Amino acid sequence: MNERDTTAVPFPSSQDSNAAPGHAAEQPKHADHALAPSASPSGTKAAAEKKRPSRLSEDKRFKIFSGSANRPLTEEICKFLGVPVGETRLQRFSDGETHFQLLENVRGVDVFLVQPTCHPVDRNLVELLIMMDALRRASAGRITVVVPYYGYARQDRKDRPRVAITSKLVADLLTTAGANRALFVDLHAAQIQGFFNIPVDHLFASPVLVGYFRDMQLPNLTVVSPDAGGVERARFFAKKLEVPLAIVDKRRTDINVTEVMNVIGDVKGRTCLILDDIVDTAGTLVKTADALLAQGAEKVYACASHAVLSGPAIERIAASGLEELVVTNTIPLSEEAMKVGKIKVLSIAGLLGRAIESIHMETSVSTLFN
């Protein structure tokens, strides 16, 4: 059984993966917190805010649960907010079927469920749907699905005949399974929010990334968008750093296959920072870095929100001309990726924690965009 498949209750060993669901693994030694009750839903908003506890750790009507895809991130978020991770039991039958059970009461509770739909994408997505169904059937007051990385986001339109729009399909699945609200980080396309008929909060990892590169004080810096689709994201980044912007003209010849055409903007003698939302096979990233160096760039750095790093990505990055690739922990890195010195991971637990707190307390989330 994959070591990442951990919940508040440890998984059974691989030898016991076909155990009956009724046989629970050893219970965690987390003491129940004495929490103050929150406001009644029927009260006015002003009265509710007066009754809300000043600390989330004192609020019985607030809980965070984690799937198995990125439990370390959930634990960081909970540590930031001062609350425990909700207790669950997650097991898999020998045929791979998922069994999930909540081990604490969630009736009327404002629940946040953290689960990126990263590799293995289909398994983590189905696991998320099963967890939401369990929460809905347990009468959770509100279910907010927190998806740091939204899988299937790249298939957001019919770019060729007879293809599926999986972004919309997954949105429908999440809503049908019981999500009342959704929280995402750096969607591949912002218009994916329109696929949902529930409130969506769309966060950006740029405050974390901008702070890191501002502290580095790289000389003669130019922010580079690896394609036309990422220009708006790169322009915002360049504006925050008060540096010029360059664009790489890219043509995609097939899935995960790109061809760099030319560089638009002056990069000769400058330090370049490539900005993208996803690094998958790293083909685009490495070719963009090569194109910039061929145009006379002194050094090339890169940053991205989501380190998918599939296929030959790790080998390509290690052998590339990149000085450093900075990513966030929306997706957990593999052991192989963590051994690559060029890859640095920044945490967005604080960003997500503040967003979760704002949603629960019904305060503005837009302040987190600055």
Side-chain angles (χ1 to χ4, degrees), residues 127-186:
E127 180 183 305
L128 176 59
L129 298 174
I130 292 172
M131 294 178 75
M132 280 194 293
D133 186 69
L135 287 165
R136 179 171 59 87
R137 295 177 186 277
S139 301
R142 180 176 68 174
I143 303 171
T144 300
V145 57
V146 181
V147 185
Y149 171 70
Y150 185 71
Y152 286 110
R154 286 171 284 183
Q155 300 178 60
D156 59 356
R157 63 193 184 280
K158 288 191 69 174
D159 56 351
R160 61 188 69 182
R162 300 174 296 279
V163 296
I165 303 178
T166 54
S167 291
K168 169 61 174 170
L169 174 61
V170 172
D172 290 342
L173 288 171
L174 294 177
T175 306
T176 302
N180 303 116
R181 194 179 190 99
L183 175 61
F184 302 113
V185 178
D186 274 324

Coordinates of all heavy atoms in Angstrom, one line a residue, residues 127-186:
E127 N -11.7 9.1 -4.3 CA -11.6 9.1 -2.9 C -12.3 10.4 -2.3 O -13.0 10.4 -1.3 CB -10.2 9.1 -2.5 CG -9.9 9.1 -1.0 CD -8.4 9.1 -0.6 OE1 -7.7 8.2 -1.1 OE2 -8.0 10.1 0.1
L128 N -12.0 11.5 -3.0 CA -12.6 12.8 -2.6 C -14.2 12.7 -2.7 O -14.9 13.2 -1.8 CB -12.1 13.9 -3.5 CG -12.7 15.3 -3.3 CD1 -12.4 15.8 -1.9 CD2 -12.0 16.3 -4.3
L129 N -14.7 12.2 -3.8 CA -16.1 12.1 -3.9 C -16.7 11.2 -2.8 O -17.8 11.5 -2.3 CB -16.4 11.5 -5.3 CG -16.0 12.3 -6.5 CD1 -16.3 11.5 -7.8 CD2 -16.7 13.6 -6.6
I130 N -16.1 10.1 -2.5 CA -16.6 9.2 -1.4 C -16.6 9.9 -0.1 O -17.5 9.8 0.7 CB -15.7 7.9 -1.4 CG1 -15.9 7.1 -2.7 CG2 -16.0 7.1 -0.2 CD1 -15.0 5.9 -2.8
M131 N -15.5 10.7 0.2 CA -15.4 11.4 1.5 C -16.6 12.4 1.6 O -17.2 12.6 2.6 CB -14.1 12.0 1.6 CG -12.9 11.0 1.7 SD -11.3 11.8 1.8 CE -11.3 12.4 3.5
M132 N -16.8 13.1 0.5 CA -17.9 14.1 0.5 C -19.3 13.4 0.7 O -20.1 14.0 1.4 CB -17.9 14.9 -0.8 CG -16.8 16.0 -0.8 SD -17.1 17.2 -2.1 CE -16.8 16.1 -3.6
D133 N -19.5 12.3 0.1 CA -20.7 11.6 0.2 C -20.9 11.2 1.7 O -22.0 11.3 2.2 CB -20.8 10.4 -0.7 CG -22.1 9.7 -0.7 OD1 -23.1 10.2 -1.2 OD2 -22.2 8.5 -0.1
A134 N -19.9 10.7 2.3 CA -19.9 10.3 3.7 C -20.3 11.6 4.6 O -21.1 11.5 5.5 CB -18.6 9.7 4.2
L135 N -19.7 12.7 4.3 CA -20.0 13.9 5.1 C -21.4 14.4 4.9 O -22.1 14.8 5.8 CB -19.0 15.0 4.6 CG -17.5 14.9 5.1 CD1 -16.6 15.8 4.3 CD2 -17.4 15.2 6.6
R136 N -21.9 14.3 3.6 CA -23.3 14.7 3.4 C -24.2 13.8 4.1 O -25.2 14.3 4.7 CB -23.5 14.7 1.9 CG -24.9 15.1 1.4 CD -25.0 15.2 -0.1 NE -24.6 14.0 -0.8 CZ -25.4 13.0 -1.0 NH1 -26.7 13.1 -0.7 NH2 -25.1 11.9 -1.7
R137 N -24.0 12.5 4.1 CA -24.9 11.6 4.7 C -24.8 11.6 6.2 O -25.7 11.2 6.9 CB -24.6 10.1 4.2 CG -24.9 10.0 2.7 CD -24.6 8.6 2.2 NE -24.7 8.5 0.8 CZ -25.8 8.2 0.2 NH1 -27.0 8.1 0.9 NH2 -25.9 8.2 -1.1
A138 N -23.7 12.2 6.7 CA -23.5 12.4 8.2 C -24.1 13.8 8.6 O -23.9 14.2 9.8 CB -22.1 12.3 8.6
S139 N -24.8 14.5 7.7 CA -25.5 15.7 8.0 C -24.5 16.9 8.3 O -24.8 17.7 9.2 CB -26.5 15.5 9.1 OG -27.4 14.5 8.8
A140 N -23.4 16.9 7.6 CA -22.5 18.1 7.8 C -23.3 19.4 7.4 O -24.0 19.4 6.5 CB -21.3 17.9 7.0
G141 N -23.1 20.4 8.2 CA -23.8 21.7 7.9 C -23.4 22.3 6.6 O -24.3 22.7 5.8
R142 N -22.1 22.3 6.3 CA -21.7 22.8 5.0 C -20.4 22.1 4.7 O -19.5 21.9 5.6 CB -21.4 24.4 5.0 CG -20.9 24.9 3.7 CD -20.8 26.5 3.8 NE -19.7 26.9 4.7 CZ -19.4 28.2 4.8 NH1 -20.0 29.1 4.1 NH2 -18.4 28.5 5.6
I143 N -20.2 21.8 3.4 CA -19.0 21.1 3.0 C -18.2 22.0 2.0 O -18.8 22.3 0.9 CB -19.3 19.7 2.3 CG1 -20.1 18.8 3.2 CG2 -18.0 19.0 1.9 CD1 -20.6 17.6 2.6
T144 N -17.1 22.4 2.4 CA -16.2 23.2 1.5 C -15.1 22.3 1.1 O -14.3 21.8 1.9 CB -15.6 24.4 2.2 OG1 -16.7 25.3 2.6 CG2 -14.7 25.2 1.2
V145 N -15.0 22.0 -0.2 CA -13.9 21.1 -0.8 C -12.7 22.0 -1.1 O -12.8 23.0 -1.8 CB -14.4 20.3 -2.0 CG1 -14.9 21.3 -3.1 CG2 -13.3 19.4 -2.5
V146 N -11.6 21.7 -0.5 CA -10.4 22.5 -0.7 C -9.5 21.6 -1.6 O -8.9 20.6 -1.2 CB -9.7 22.8 0.7 CG1 -8.4 23.6 0.4 CG2 -10.6 23.5 1.6
V147 N -9.3 22.1 -2.8 CA -8.6 21.3 -3.8 C -7.4 22.2 -4.3 O -7.5 23.0 -5.2 CB -9.4 21.0 -5.1 CG1 -8.7 20.1 -6.0 CG2 -10.7 20.3 -4.6
P148 N -6.2 22.0 -3.6 CA -5.0 22.8 -3.9 C -4.6 22.6 -5.4 O -4.1 23.6 -6.0 CB -4.0 22.3 -3.0 CG -4.7 21.7 -1.8 CD -6.0 21.1 -2.4
Y149 N -4.8 21.4 -5.9 CA -4.5 21.2 -7.3 C -5.7 20.5 -8.0 O -6.1 19.4 -7.5 CB -3.3 20.3 -7.5 CG -3.1 19.8 -9.0 CD1 -2.7 20.7 -10.0 CD2 -3.3 18.5 -9.3 CE1 -2.6 20.3 -11.3 CE2 -3.1 18.1 -10.6 CZ -2.8 19.0 -11.6 OH -2.6 18.6 -12.9
Y150 N -6.3 21.1 -9.0 CA -7.5 20.7 -9.6 C -7.1 19.9 -10.9 O -6.8 20.4 -11.9 CB -8.4 21.9 -10.0 CG -9.7 21.6 -10.6 CD1 -10.7 21.0 -9.8 CD2 -10.0 21.8 -11.9 CE1 -12.0 20.7 -10.3 CE2 -11.3 21.6 -12.4 CZ -12.3 21.0 -11.6 OH -13.5 20.8 -12.1
G151 N -7.1 18.5 -10.7 CA -6.8 17.7 -11.9 C -7.9 17.8 -13.0 O -9.0 18.2 -12.7
Y152 N -7.5 17.5 -14.2 CA -8.4 17.6 -15.4 C -8.7 19.0 -15.8 O -9.5 19.2 -16.6 CB -9.7 16.8 -15.1 CG -9.6 15.3 -15.2 CD1 -9.7 14.5 -14.0 CD2 -9.3 14.6 -16.4 CE1 -9.6 13.1 -14.1 CE2 -9.1 13.3 -16.4 CZ -9.3 12.5 -15.3 OH -9.2 11.2 -15.3
A153 N -8.0 20.0 -15.2 CA -8.3 21.4 -15.5 C -7.8 21.7 -16.9 O -8.4 22.7 -17.5 CB -7.6 22.3 -14.5
R154 N -6.9 21.0 -17.5 CA -6.3 21.4 -18.8 C -7.3 21.1 -19.9 O -7.1 21.6 -21.0 CB -5.0 20.8 -19.0 CG -3.9 21.4 -18.2 CD -2.6 20.7 -18.2 NE -2.6 19.5 -17.4 CZ -1.6 18.7 -17.2 NH1 -0.4 18.9 -17.9 NH2 -1.6 17.6 -16.4
Q155 N -8.2 20.2 -19.7 CA -9.2 19.9 -20.7 C -10.5 20.7 -20.4 O -11.5 20.2 -20.0 CB -9.5 18.4 -20.6 CG -8.3 17.5 -20.9 CD -8.6 16.0 -20.8 OE1 -9.4 15.5 -21.5 NE2 -8.0 15.3 -19.9
D156 N -10.4 22.0 -20.7 CA -11.5 22.9 -20.4 C -12.3 23.4 -21.6 O -13.1 24.3 -21.4 CB -10.9 24.1 -19.6 CG -9.8 24.9 -20.4 OD1 -9.5 24.4 -21.5 OD2 -9.3 25.9 -19.9
R157 N -12.0 22.8 -22.8 CA -12.8 23.3 -24.0 C -12.6 22.2 -25.0 O -11.7 21.3 -24.9 CB -12.2 24.6 -24.5 CG -10.8 24.5 -24.9 CD -10.2 25.9 -25.2 NE -8.8 25.8 -25.7 CZ -7.7 25.6 -24.9 NH1 -7.9 25.4 -23.6 NH2 -6.5 25.5 -25.5
K158 N -13.4 22.3 -26.1 CA -13.3 21.3 -27.2 C -12.3 21.9 -28.2 O -12.6 22.7 -29.0 CB -14.6 21.1 -27.8 CG -15.6 20.3 -27.0 CD -16.8 19.8 -27.8 CE -16.4 18.8 -28.9 NZ -17.6 18.3 -29.6
D159 N -11.0 21.5 -28.0 CA -10.0 22.0 -28.9 C -9.8 21.2 -30.2 O -9.0 21.5 -31.0 CB -8.6 22.2 -28.2 CG -8.2 20.8 -27.6 OD1 -9.0 19.9 -27.6 OD2 -7.1 20.8 -27.1
R160 N -10.5 20.1 -30.2 CA -10.5 19.2 -31.4 C -11.8 18.4 -31.4 O -12.5 18.3 -30.3 CB -9.3 18.3 -31.4 CG -9.2 17.3 -30.2 CD -7.9 16.6 -30.2 NE -6.8 17.5 -29.9 CZ -5.5 17.1 -29.8 NH1 -5.2 15.9 -30.1 NH2 -4.6 18.0 -29.5
P161 N -12.2 17.8 -32.5 CA -13.5 17.1 -32.5 C -13.6 15.9 -31.6 O -12.6 15.2 -31.3 CB -13.6 16.7 -34.0 CG -12.7 17.5 -34.8 CD -11.6 17.8 -33.8
R162 N -14.8 15.7 -31.0 CA -15.2 14.5 -30.3 C -14.3 14.3 -29.1 O -13.8 13.2 -28.8 CB -15.1 13.3 -31.2 CG -16.1 13.4 -32.4 CD -16.0 12.2 -33.4 NE -14.7 12.2 -34.0 CZ -14.4 13.0 -35.1 NH1 -15.2 13.9 -35.6 NH2 -13.2 13.0 -35.6
V163 N -14.1 15.3 -28.3 CA -13.3 15.2 -27.0 C -14.2 15.7 -25.9 O -15.2 16.4 -26.1 CB -12.0 16.0 -27.0 CG1 -11.1 15.5 -28.1 CG2 -12.3 17.5 -27.2
A164 N -13.9 15.2 -24.7 CA -14.6 15.6 -23.5 C -14.1 16.9 -22.9 O -12.9 17.2 -23.1 CB -14.5 14.5 -22.5
I165 N -15.0 17.6 -22.2 CA -14.6 18.8 -21.4 C -14.6 18.3 -19.9 O -15.5 18.4 -19.2 CB -15.5 19.9 -21.6 CG1 -15.6 20.3 -23.1 CG2 -15.1 21.1 -20.8 CD1 -16.6 21.4 -23.4
T166 N -13.4 17.8 -19.5 CA -13.4 17.1 -18.2 C -13.4 18.1 -17.1 O -13.8 17.7 -15.9 CB -12.1 16.3 -18.1 OG1 -10.9 17.1 -18.4 CG2 -12.1 15.1 -19.1
S167 N -13.0 19.3 -17.3 CA -13.1 20.3 -16.2 C -14.5 20.5 -15.8 O -14.8 20.6 -14.6 CB -12.5 21.7 -16.7 OG -11.1 21.6 -16.9
K168 N -15.4 20.6 -16.7 CA -16.8 20.7 -16.4 C -17.4 19.4 -15.8 O -18.2 19.5 -14.8 CB -17.6 21.0 -17.7 CG -19.1 20.9 -17.6 CD -19.7 21.9 -16.6 CE -21.2 21.9 -16.6 NZ -21.8 22.6 -15.5
L169 N -16.9 18.3 -16.3 CA -17.4 17.0 -15.7 C -17.0 16.9 -14.3 O -17.8 16.5 -13.4 CB -16.8 15.8 -16.5 CG -17.0 14.4 -16.0 CD1 -18.5 14.1 -16.0 CD2 -16.3 13.4 -16.8
V170 N -15.8 17.2 -13.9 CA -15.3 17.1 -12.5 C -16.1 18.1 -11.7 O -16.4 17.8 -10.5 CB -13.8 17.3 -12.4 CG1 -13.3 17.4 -11.0 CG2 -13.1 16.1 -13.1
A171 N -16.3 19.3 -12.2 CA -17.1 20.3 -11.4 C -18.5 19.7 -11.1 O -19.0 19.9 -10.0 CB -17.2 21.5 -12.2
D172 N -19.1 19.1 -12.1 CA -20.4 18.5 -11.8 C -20.4 17.3 -10.8 O -21.2 17.2 -9.9 CB -21.0 17.9 -13.1 CG -21.4 19.0 -14.1 OD1 -21.6 20.2 -13.6 OD2 -21.6 18.8 -15.3
L173 N -19.3 16.5 -10.9 CA -19.1 15.4 -9.9 C -19.0 15.9 -8.5 O -19.6 15.4 -7.6 CB -17.9 14.6 -10.3 CG -18.0 13.7 -11.5 CD1 -16.7 13.1 -11.9 CD2 -19.0 12.6 -11.3
L174 N -18.2 17.0 -8.3 CA -17.9 17.5 -7.0 C -19.2 18.1 -6.4 O -19.6 17.9 -5.2 CB -16.9 18.6 -7.0 CG -15.5 18.2 -7.4 CD1 -14.5 19.4 -7.5 CD2 -14.9 17.2 -6.3
T175 N -20.0 18.8 -7.2 CA -21.3 19.4 -6.8 C -22.3 18.3 -6.4 O -23.0 18.4 -5.4 CB -21.8 20.3 -7.9 OG1 -20.8 21.3 -8.2 CG2 -23.1 21.0 -7.3
T176 N -22.4 17.3 -7.3 CA -23.3 16.2 -7.1 C -23.0 15.4 -5.8 O -23.9 15.0 -5.1 CB -23.4 15.3 -8.3 OG1 -23.7 16.0 -9.5 CG2 -24.4 14.2 -8.1
A177 N -21.7 15.3 -5.5 CA -21.3 14.5 -4.4 C -21.6 15.2 -3.1 O -21.6 14.5 -2.0 CB -19.8 14.2 -4.5
G178 N -21.8 16.5 -3.1 CA -22.2 17.2 -1.9 C -21.5 18.5 -1.6 O -21.7 19.0 -0.5
A179 N -20.6 18.9 -2.4 CA -19.8 20.2 -2.1 C -20.8 21.4 -2.1 O -21.6 21.5 -3.1 CB -18.7 20.4 -3.1
N180 N -20.7 22.2 -1.1 CA -21.5 23.4 -1.0 C -20.7 24.6 -1.4 O -21.2 25.7 -1.8 CB -22.0 23.6 0.4 CG -22.9 22.5 0.9 OD1 -22.5 21.8 1.9 ND2 -24.0 22.2 0.2
R181 N -19.4 24.5 -1.4 CA -18.4 25.5 -1.7 C -17.1 24.9 -2.1 O -16.8 23.8 -1.7 CB -18.3 26.5 -0.5 CG -17.6 27.8 -0.8 CD -17.5 28.7 0.5 NE -17.1 30.0 0.1 CZ -17.9 31.0 0.0 NH1 -19.2 30.9 0.2 NH2 -17.4 32.2 -0.4
A182 N -16.3 25.6 -2.9 CA -15.0 25.1 -3.4 C -13.9 26.2 -3.2 O -14.2 27.4 -3.4 CB -15.1 24.6 -4.8
L183 N -12.8 25.7 -2.9 CA -11.6 26.6 -2.7 C -10.5 25.9 -3.6 O -10.1 24.8 -3.3 CB -11.2 26.7 -1.3 CG -9.9 27.4 -0.9 CD1 -10.0 28.9 -1.4 CD2 -9.6 27.4 0.6
F184 N -9.9 26.7 -4.5 CA -8.9 26.2 -5.4 C -7.7 27.1 -5.4 O -7.8 28.3 -4.9 CB -9.4 26.1 -6.9 CG -10.6 25.3 -7.1 CD1 -11.8 25.8 -7.4 CD2 -10.5 23.9 -6.9 CE1 -12.9 25.0 -7.6 CE2 -11.6 23.1 -7.0 CZ -12.8 23.6 -7.4
V185 N -6.5 26.6 -5.8 CA -5.3 27.4 -6.0 C -4.9 27.4 -7.4 O -4.6 26.3 -8.0 CB -4.2 26.9 -5.0 CG1 -2.9 27.7 -5.2 CG2 -4.6 26.9 -3.6
D186 N -4.7 28.5 -8.0 CA -4.2 28.7 -9.4 C -4.8 27.7 -10.4 O -4.1 26.7 -10.8 CB -2.7 28.5 -9.4 CG -2.0 29.9 -9.1 OD1 -2.5 30.9 -9.5 OD2 -0.9 29.9 -8.4

